[in-house]
Amino acid sequence: VSFIYGNQTIEDEAAMVARVKNYKAGFVKSDSNVAPTATLADIVALKEKTGHSTVAVTEDGTVLFDNVNFTVEKGDKIVFLSRDPRAMTALFEIINENRQPDAGKFSWGVTITTAYLPLDNTKFFENDLNLVDWLSQFGEGNEVYMKSFLGRMLFSGEEVLKKANVLSGGEKMRCMIARMQLRNANCLILDTPTNHLDLESIQAFNNNLKLYKGNVLFASHDHEFIQTVANRIIELTPNGIIDKMMEYDEYITSDHIKEMRARMYGDNK
């Protein structure tokens, strides 16, 4: 995956695009050699193996996605779709360097800073810190500053003194969003961010994302959330991607897209 911001790239944009076009992405087994000419702009042939983050293969050999090759432009807010939700989580884990693909590479632009909201946040709450002290672990600032970020996610009054290890699922998610906002990144990676959130919290987060000037890469099951945030759609399939600059409602009702999806998932076989 290549992230391009004007001329602020690791190599000349035109040269990189030419290299990407000349590279055939495909599945490479874990014991195969990847050609040294493989570009920095590809993540390919991802499979998943339970419990083995460095080997991306399922027990039954299921391919989550393959032939993945895309560039993120300034201003893109991309929702990633797939019939298998593990595909989006796997992609996000790879671009956050928490796991490895079977083949291919990716690179962030030199000016990009990221903040990641993972699907599983359990490890962040295995302590008894109050929410102000909990958030202070992830950035600099005084108590008032930390409370301002918690307040954006609807924590107020004595709620900020709750212990991290007794929070509900929704409260944990709101804390994780506050943590992410504290990082002041210019690219957000969100794996199903509306999980456990109530309607009021979803609306507050939705409004923030609509005003956000950076990039957003996300997955969600919430129709309205996708429709109002995303301006680009990438669907991950076992046989490549569908990449469209269009609204979500148009995407899911298009007969042309339905035909493409059937081909990419092998429904016509």
Side-chain angles (χ1 to χ4, degrees), residues 237-252:
T237 83
N239 296 296
I241 64 171
I242 302 171
D243 186 350
K244 296 293 182 182
M245 294 289 295
M246 61 197 309
E247 292 187 351
Y248 182 59
D249 282 344
E250 182 183 358
Y251 185 87
I252 61 176

Side-chain angles (χ1 to χ4, degrees), residues 1-2 23-29 32-46 65-69 94-95 99-107:
V1 181
S2 165
Y23 177 66
K24 173 61 177 176
F27 175 60
V28 180
K29 292 182 179 179
S32 299
N33 293 320
V34 179
T37 56
T39 79
L40 78 165
D42 297 282
I43 294 178
V44 298
L46 181 74
F65 57 75
D66 200 348
N67 294 305
V68 173
N69 185 344
I94 286 172
I95 63 177
R99 61 179 302 157
Q100 296 293 321
D102 274 336
K105 299 179 181 179
F106 75 93
S107 178

Side-chain angles (χ1 to χ4, degrees), residues 18-197:
R19 289 176 61 202
V20 172
K21 289 180 178 178
N22 289 332
Y23 177 66
K24 173 61 177 176
F27 175 60
V28 180
K29 292 182 179 179
S30 58
D31 59 353
S32 299
N33 293 320
V34 179
T37 56
T39 79
L40 78 165
D42 297 282
I43 294 178
V44 298
L46 181 74
K47 297 183 178 182
E48 172 144 298
K49 185 177 182 67
T50 304
H52 298 277
S53 60
T54 59
V55 182
V57 181
T58 60
E59 298 297 336
D60 63 0
T62 301
V63 178
L64 295 179
F65 57 75
D66 200 348
N67 294 305
V68 173
N69 185 344
F70 62 88
T71 300
V72 177
E73 304 287 352
K74 188 172 183 179
D76 281 351
K77 295 182 179 180
I78 306 173
V79 61
F80 289 85
L81 309 175
S82 180
R83 289 183 181 176
D84 190 335
R86 294 176 301 170
M88 287 85 78
T89 295
L91 175 67
F92 295 156
E93 287 290 291
I94 286 172
I95 63 177
N96 282 281
E97 300 184 343
N98 294 331
R99 61 179 302 157
Q100 296 293 321
D102 274 336
K105 299 179 181 179
F106 75 93
S107 178
W108 296 103
V110 294
T111 62
I112 306 306
T113 55
T114 64
Y116 179 36
L117 189 69
L119 182 64
D120 183 4
N121 58 36
T122 305
K123 68 179 182 180
F124 292 93
F125 297 96
E126 296 173 342
N127 59 69
D128 62 355
L129 296 174
N130 68 49
L131 298 193
V132 174
D133 292 339
W134 180 88
L135 190 59
S136 297
Q137 299 175 101
F138 307 110
E140 297 181 356
N142 60 24
E143 180 177 333
V144 173
Y145 186 68
M146 295 302 161
K147 285 182 177 179
S148 71
F149 282 91
L150 292 168
R152 293 180 193 178
M153 291 314 301
L154 309 180
F155 289 104
S156 61
E158 295 299 311
E159 289 181 325
V160 300
L161 299 179
K162 277 189 173 183
K163 302 295 186 181
N165 57 3
V166 300
L167 298 178
S168 68
E171 289 170 330
K172 289 178 180 178
M173 183 60 74
R174 286 156 54 198
C175 284
M176 291 296 291
I177 294 171
R179 168 185 174 271
M180 181 185 64
Q181 293 174 333
L182 182 64
R183 291 179 60 86
N184 196 30
N186 56 24
C187 180
L188 306 181
I189 305 164
L190 315 173
D191 194 349
T192 325
T194 58
N195 271 8
H196 306 294
L197 294 182

Side-chain angles (χ1 to χ4, degrees), residues 5 74-75 77 186 208-215:
Y5 277 71
K74 188 172 183 179
K77 295 182 179 180
N186 56 24
N208 286 334
L209 288 181
K210 286 191 289 186
L211 298 173
Y212 179 67
K213 301 300 183 182
N215 286 106

